[in-house]
Short mmCIF file of all heavy atoms in Angstrom, two decimals:
data_model
loop_
_atom_site.label_atom_id
_atom_site.label_comp_id
_atom_site.label_asym_id
_atom_site.label_seq_id
_atom_site.Cartn_x
_atom_site.Cartn_y
_atom_site.Cartn_z
N VAL A 48 -63.42 27.88 -24.28
CA VAL A 48 -63.03 26.56 -24.79
C VAL A 48 -63.26 25.57 -23.66
O VAL A 48 -62.53 25.59 -22.67
CB VAL A 48 -61.55 26.54 -25.21
CG1 VAL A 48 -61.17 25.15 -25.71
CG2 VAL A 48 -61.25 27.61 -26.25
N PRO A 49 -64.29 24.71 -23.78
CA PRO A 49 -64.56 23.78 -22.68
C PRO A 49 -63.41 22.80 -22.47
O PRO A 49 -62.81 22.34 -23.45
CB PRO A 49 -65.83 23.04 -23.13
CG PRO A 49 -66.38 23.82 -24.26
CD PRO A 49 -65.23 24.55 -24.89
N ARG A 50 -63.12 22.50 -21.23
CA ARG A 50 -62.05 21.55 -20.92
C ARG A 50 -62.40 20.17 -21.48
O ARG A 50 -63.54 19.73 -21.41
CB ARG A 50 -61.88 21.48 -19.40
CG ARG A 50 -60.62 20.80 -18.95
CD ARG A 50 -60.46 20.87 -17.45
NE ARG A 50 -60.27 22.23 -16.93
CZ ARG A 50 -59.15 22.95 -17.10
NH1 ARG A 50 -58.15 22.46 -17.77
NH2 ARG A 50 -59.06 24.16 -16.60
N GLY A 51 -61.42 19.54 -22.10
CA GLY A 51 -61.64 18.19 -22.62
C GLY A 51 -62.42 18.16 -23.92
O GLY A 51 -62.96 17.12 -24.29
N SER A 52 -62.49 19.31 -24.61
CA SER A 52 -63.24 19.34 -25.87
C SER A 52 -62.29 19.52 -27.05
O SER A 52 -61.14 19.92 -26.88
CB SER A 52 -64.22 20.52 -25.87
OG SER A 52 -63.50 21.74 -25.91
N PHE A 53 -62.80 19.23 -28.23
CA PHE A 53 -62.08 19.42 -29.49
C PHE A 53 -62.87 20.50 -30.25
O PHE A 53 -64.02 20.28 -30.64
CB PHE A 53 -62.06 18.09 -30.24
CG PHE A 53 -61.24 18.05 -31.51
CD1 PHE A 53 -60.51 19.13 -31.95
CD2 PHE A 53 -61.21 16.88 -32.27
CE1 PHE A 53 -59.75 19.06 -33.11
CE2 PHE A 53 -60.47 16.80 -33.44
CZ PHE A 53 -59.75 17.90 -33.86
N THR A 54 -62.24 21.66 -30.44
CA THR A 54 -62.92 22.79 -31.08
C THR A 54 -62.21 23.14 -32.38
O THR A 54 -60.98 23.26 -32.39
CB THR A 54 -62.87 24.03 -30.15
OG1 THR A 54 -63.45 23.69 -28.90
CG2 THR A 54 -63.62 25.21 -30.77
N ALA A 55 -62.97 23.28 -33.45
CA ALA A 55 -62.40 23.75 -34.72
C ALA A 55 -62.75 25.23 -34.91
O ALA A 55 -63.83 25.66 -34.53
CB ALA A 55 -62.95 22.93 -35.88
N VAL A 56 -61.82 25.97 -35.49
CA VAL A 56 -62.02 27.40 -35.77
C VAL A 56 -61.95 27.57 -37.27
O VAL A 56 -60.95 27.18 -37.90
CB VAL A 56 -60.94 28.27 -35.09
CG1 VAL A 56 -61.19 29.75 -35.36
CG2 VAL A 56 -60.88 28.00 -33.59
N VAL A 181 -53.89 21.93 -26.38
CA VAL A 181 -53.07 21.83 -27.59
C VAL A 181 -53.72 22.72 -28.65
O VAL A 181 -54.92 22.61 -28.91
CB VAL A 181 -53.00 20.37 -28.10
CG1 VAL A 181 -52.32 20.30 -29.46
CG2 VAL A 181 -52.26 19.49 -27.10
N ALA A 183 -53.64 23.82 -32.59
CA ALA A 183 -53.16 23.30 -33.87
C ALA A 183 -53.57 24.23 -35.00
O ALA A 183 -54.75 24.59 -35.12
CB ALA A 183 -53.74 21.90 -34.10
N PRO A 186 -53.29 21.64 -39.05
CA PRO A 186 -52.36 20.52 -38.87
C PRO A 186 -52.40 19.50 -40.00
O PRO A 186 -51.47 18.70 -40.12
CB PRO A 186 -52.84 19.88 -37.56
CG PRO A 186 -54.28 20.25 -37.46
CD PRO A 186 -54.38 21.63 -38.06
N VAL A 198 -54.32 11.73 -38.64
CA VAL A 198 -53.97 12.76 -37.64
C VAL A 198 -55.24 13.25 -36.92
O VAL A 198 -55.25 13.41 -35.70
CB VAL A 198 -53.21 13.93 -38.33
CG1 VAL A 198 -53.23 15.19 -37.48
CG2 VAL A 198 -51.78 13.51 -38.63
N LEU A 199 -56.31 13.44 -37.68
CA LEU A 199 -57.57 13.91 -37.07
C LEU A 199 -58.16 12.86 -36.13
O LEU A 199 -58.65 13.20 -35.05
CB LEU A 199 -58.58 14.27 -38.17
CG LEU A 199 -58.17 15.49 -38.99
CD1 LEU A 199 -58.92 15.53 -40.31
CD2 LEU A 199 -58.42 16.76 -38.19
N ARG A 200 -58.07 11.60 -36.53
CA ARG A 200 -58.55 10.52 -35.65
C ARG A 200 -57.72 10.48 -34.36
O ARG A 200 -58.24 10.24 -33.28
CB ARG A 200 -58.48 9.17 -36.36
CG ARG A 200 -59.78 8.83 -37.11
CD ARG A 200 -59.86 7.36 -37.47
NE ARG A 200 -58.85 7.02 -38.47
CZ ARG A 200 -59.03 7.15 -39.78
NH1 ARG A 200 -60.18 7.60 -40.24
NH2 ARG A 200 -58.08 6.85 -40.63
N LEU A 201 -56.41 10.76 -34.52
CA LEU A 201 -55.54 10.77 -33.34
C LEU A 201 -55.96 11.89 -32.38
O LEU A 201 -56.07 11.67 -31.17
CB LEU A 201 -54.08 10.93 -33.79
CG LEU A 201 -53.03 11.01 -32.69
CD1 LEU A 201 -53.06 9.75 -31.81
CD2 LEU A 201 -51.63 11.17 -33.32
N PHE A 202 -56.21 13.08 -32.91
CA PHE A 202 -56.69 14.18 -32.05
C PHE A 202 -57.98 13.76 -31.34
O PHE A 202 -58.15 13.97 -30.14
CB PHE A 202 -56.97 15.44 -32.87
CG PHE A 202 -55.76 16.30 -33.12
CD1 PHE A 202 -55.45 16.73 -34.40
CD2 PHE A 202 -54.95 16.69 -32.08
CE1 PHE A 202 -54.34 17.53 -34.64
CE2 PHE A 202 -53.83 17.49 -32.31
CZ PHE A 202 -53.53 17.91 -33.60
N ARG A 203 -58.90 13.18 -32.11
CA ARG A 203 -60.20 12.76 -31.56
C ARG A 203 -60.00 11.78 -30.40
O ARG A 203 -60.59 11.89 -29.34
CB ARG A 203 -61.00 12.13 -32.70
CG ARG A 203 -62.44 11.77 -32.48
CD ARG A 203 -63.33 12.95 -32.27
NE ARG A 203 -63.56 13.16 -30.85
CZ ARG A 203 -64.18 14.21 -30.34
NH1 ARG A 203 -64.64 15.17 -31.11
NH2 ARG A 203 -64.35 14.33 -29.06
N GLN A 204 -59.09 10.81 -30.64
CA GLN A 204 -58.80 9.79 -29.65
C GLN A 204 -58.17 10.40 -28.39
O GLN A 204 -58.54 10.04 -27.27
CB GLN A 204 -57.79 8.84 -30.30
CG GLN A 204 -57.76 7.45 -29.78
CD GLN A 204 -56.64 6.69 -30.49
OE1 GLN A 204 -56.08 7.13 -31.50
NE2 GLN A 204 -56.32 5.55 -29.96
N ILE A 205 -57.26 11.33 -28.59
CA ILE A 205 -56.58 11.95 -27.44
C ILE A 205 -57.59 12.73 -26.59
O ILE A 205 -57.55 12.69 -25.36
CB ILE A 205 -55.45 12.87 -27.95
CG1 ILE A 205 -54.29 12.02 -28.50
CG2 ILE A 205 -54.94 13.79 -26.85
CD1 ILE A 205 -53.32 12.80 -29.35
N VAL A 206 -58.50 13.42 -27.25
CA VAL A 206 -59.54 14.17 -26.52
C VAL A 206 -60.46 13.19 -25.78
O VAL A 206 -60.72 13.34 -24.59
CB VAL A 206 -60.35 15.06 -27.48
CG1 VAL A 206 -61.56 15.67 -26.79
CG2 VAL A 206 -59.46 16.15 -28.06
N ASP A 207 -60.93 12.15 -26.48
CA ASP A 207 -61.89 11.22 -25.89
C ASP A 207 -61.29 10.38 -24.77
O ASP A 207 -61.94 10.11 -23.77
CB ASP A 207 -62.45 10.28 -26.96
CG ASP A 207 -63.35 11.00 -27.95
OD1 ASP A 207 -63.82 12.11 -27.60
OD2 ASP A 207 -63.57 10.48 -29.05
N GLN A 211 -57.81 15.56 -23.00
CA GLN A 211 -57.02 16.69 -23.48
C GLN A 211 -57.93 17.71 -24.17
O GLN A 211 -58.92 17.32 -24.80
CB GLN A 211 -55.95 16.17 -24.46
CG GLN A 211 -55.04 17.23 -25.03
CD GLN A 211 -54.15 17.84 -23.95
OE1 GLN A 211 -53.35 17.16 -23.34
NE2 GLN A 211 -54.33 19.13 -23.71
N THR A 212 -57.61 18.98 -24.08
CA THR A 212 -58.34 20.03 -24.79
C THR A 212 -57.57 20.37 -26.07
O THR A 212 -56.36 20.57 -26.02
CB THR A 212 -58.43 21.30 -23.91
OG1 THR A 212 -59.00 20.94 -22.65
CG2 THR A 212 -59.25 22.38 -24.58
N VAL A 213 -58.29 20.40 -27.21
CA VAL A 213 -57.63 20.71 -28.49
C VAL A 213 -58.42 21.81 -29.21
O VAL A 213 -59.65 21.75 -29.29
CB VAL A 213 -57.53 19.46 -29.40
CG1 VAL A 213 -56.95 19.81 -30.76
CG2 VAL A 213 -56.69 18.36 -28.74
N VAL A 214 -57.71 22.81 -29.71
CA VAL A 214 -58.30 23.86 -30.56
C VAL A 214 -57.55 23.84 -31.88
O VAL A 214 -56.32 23.90 -31.90
CB VAL A 214 -58.17 25.26 -29.92
CG1 VAL A 214 -58.80 26.32 -30.83
CG2 VAL A 214 -58.81 25.30 -28.54
N MET A 215 -58.29 23.73 -32.98
CA MET A 215 -57.66 23.55 -34.29
C MET A 215 -58.23 24.54 -35.31
O MET A 215 -59.44 24.58 -35.53
CB MET A 215 -57.94 22.12 -34.78
CG MET A 215 -57.56 21.86 -36.22
SD MET A 215 -57.94 20.16 -36.73
CE MET A 215 -59.74 20.25 -36.92
N VAL A 216 -57.34 25.31 -35.93
CA VAL A 216 -57.76 26.15 -37.06
C VAL A 216 -57.70 25.30 -38.32
O VAL A 216 -56.71 24.58 -38.54
CB VAL A 216 -56.83 27.38 -37.21
CG1 VAL A 216 -57.01 28.04 -38.57
CG2 VAL A 216 -57.10 28.39 -36.10
N THR A 217 -58.75 25.34 -39.11
CA THR A 217 -58.74 24.59 -40.38
C THR A 217 -59.64 25.28 -41.40
O THR A 217 -60.50 26.09 -41.04
CB THR A 217 -59.24 23.14 -40.16
OG1 THR A 217 -59.20 22.44 -41.40
CG2 THR A 217 -60.66 23.10 -39.61
N ALA A 222 -62.18 18.04 -41.93
CA ALA A 222 -61.35 18.14 -40.72
C ALA A 222 -62.18 18.68 -39.56
O ALA A 222 -62.15 18.16 -38.44
CB ALA A 222 -60.14 19.03 -40.98
N ALA A 223 -62.96 19.72 -39.83
CA ALA A 223 -63.76 20.36 -38.78
C ALA A 223 -64.80 19.38 -38.22
O ALA A 223 -65.15 19.45 -37.04
CB ALA A 223 -64.47 21.60 -39.33
N SER A 224 -65.26 18.43 -39.05
CA SER A 224 -66.31 17.51 -38.60
C SER A 224 -65.79 16.51 -37.56
O SER A 224 -66.57 15.84 -36.92
CB SER A 224 -66.91 16.76 -39.79
OG SER A 224 -66.00 15.80 -40.27
N PHE A 225 -64.48 16.43 -37.36
CA PHE A 225 -63.92 15.59 -36.31
C PHE A 225 -64.05 16.25 -34.93
O PHE A 225 -63.88 15.61 -33.91
CB PHE A 225 -62.44 15.28 -36.57
CG PHE A 225 -62.23 14.20 -37.60
CD1 PHE A 225 -62.37 14.46 -38.95
CD2 PHE A 225 -61.88 12.91 -37.20
CE1 PHE A 225 -62.19 13.47 -39.90
CE2 PHE A 225 -61.68 11.91 -38.14
CZ PHE A 225 -61.84 12.18 -39.49
N ALA A 226 -64.31 17.57 -34.93
CA ALA A 226 -64.36 18.32 -33.68
C ALA A 226 -65.73 18.19 -33.01
O ALA A 226 -66.70 17.78 -33.64
CB ALA A 226 -64.06 19.80 -33.96
N ASP A 227 -65.78 18.53 -31.72
CA ASP A 227 -67.06 18.54 -31.01
C ASP A 227 -67.89 19.74 -31.44
O ASP A 227 -69.11 19.68 -31.48
CB ASP A 227 -66.83 18.66 -29.50
CG ASP A 227 -66.09 17.46 -28.95
OD1 ASP A 227 -66.57 16.33 -29.16
OD2 ASP A 227 -65.03 17.64 -28.34
N SER A 228 -67.19 20.84 -31.73
CA SER A 228 -67.92 22.03 -32.19
C SER A 228 -67.02 22.85 -33.10
O SER A 228 -65.79 22.74 -33.04
CB SER A 228 -68.40 22.88 -31.01
OG SER A 228 -67.33 23.58 -30.45
N VAL A 229 -67.66 23.62 -33.98
CA VAL A 229 -66.94 24.52 -34.89
C VAL A 229 -67.38 25.93 -34.59
O VAL A 229 -68.58 26.21 -34.50
CB VAL A 229 -67.28 24.23 -36.37
CG1 VAL A 229 -66.39 25.06 -37.28
CG2 VAL A 229 -67.14 22.78 -36.69
N VAL A 230 -66.40 26.81 -34.40
CA VAL A 230 -66.72 28.22 -34.22
C VAL A 230 -66.30 28.95 -35.49
O VAL A 230 -65.23 28.70 -36.03
CB VAL A 230 -66.05 28.79 -32.94
CG1 VAL A 230 -64.56 28.59 -32.95
CG2 VAL A 230 -66.37 30.26 -32.78
N LEU A 241 -71.35 25.58 -34.54
CA LEU A 241 -72.10 24.34 -34.79
C LEU A 241 -71.62 23.28 -33.82
O LEU A 241 -70.41 23.11 -33.64
CB LEU A 241 -71.81 23.83 -36.21
CG LEU A 241 -72.53 24.46 -37.39
CD1 LEU A 241 -71.98 23.87 -38.70
CD2 LEU A 241 -74.04 24.21 -37.29
N GLN A 242 -72.55 22.57 -33.19
CA GLN A 242 -72.18 21.46 -32.31
C GLN A 242 -72.29 20.16 -33.10
O GLN A 242 -73.17 20.01 -33.92
CB GLN A 242 -73.15 21.39 -31.10
CG GLN A 242 -73.19 22.66 -30.26
CD GLN A 242 -71.88 22.96 -29.55
OE1 GLN A 242 -71.06 22.07 -29.33
NE2 GLN A 242 -71.68 24.23 -29.19
N ARG A 243 -71.40 19.23 -32.83
CA ARG A 243 -71.37 17.93 -33.51
C ARG A 243 -71.58 18.11 -35.02
O ARG A 243 -72.55 17.60 -35.60
CB ARG A 243 -72.45 17.00 -32.95
CG ARG A 243 -72.39 16.85 -31.45
CD ARG A 243 -72.80 15.49 -30.94
NE ARG A 243 -72.27 15.24 -29.61
CZ ARG A 243 -71.07 14.73 -29.35
NH1 ARG A 243 -70.29 14.39 -30.34
NH2 ARG A 243 -70.64 14.56 -28.12
N PRO A 244 -70.69 18.85 -35.66
CA PRO A 244 -70.91 19.23 -37.06
C PRO A 244 -70.70 18.09 -38.05
O PRO A 244 -69.86 17.22 -37.82
CB PRO A 244 -69.81 20.28 -37.28
CG PRO A 244 -68.73 19.86 -36.33
CD PRO A 244 -69.42 19.32 -35.13
#
Side-chain angles (χ1 to χ4, degrees):
V48 179
R50 194 175 295 288
S52 68
F53 186 2
T54 304
V56 182
V181 172
V198 161
L199 292 161
R200 269 196 293 274
L201 178 58
F202 276 130
R203 188 66 262 172
Q204 205 183 347
I205 288 165
V206 171
D207 291 341
Q211 181 67 62
T212 306
V213 176
V214 180
M215 169 181 76
V216 165
T217 181
S224 73
F225 281 77
D227 297 305
S228 75
V229 187
V230 56
L241 280 174
Q242 302 294 338
R243 307 213 158 274

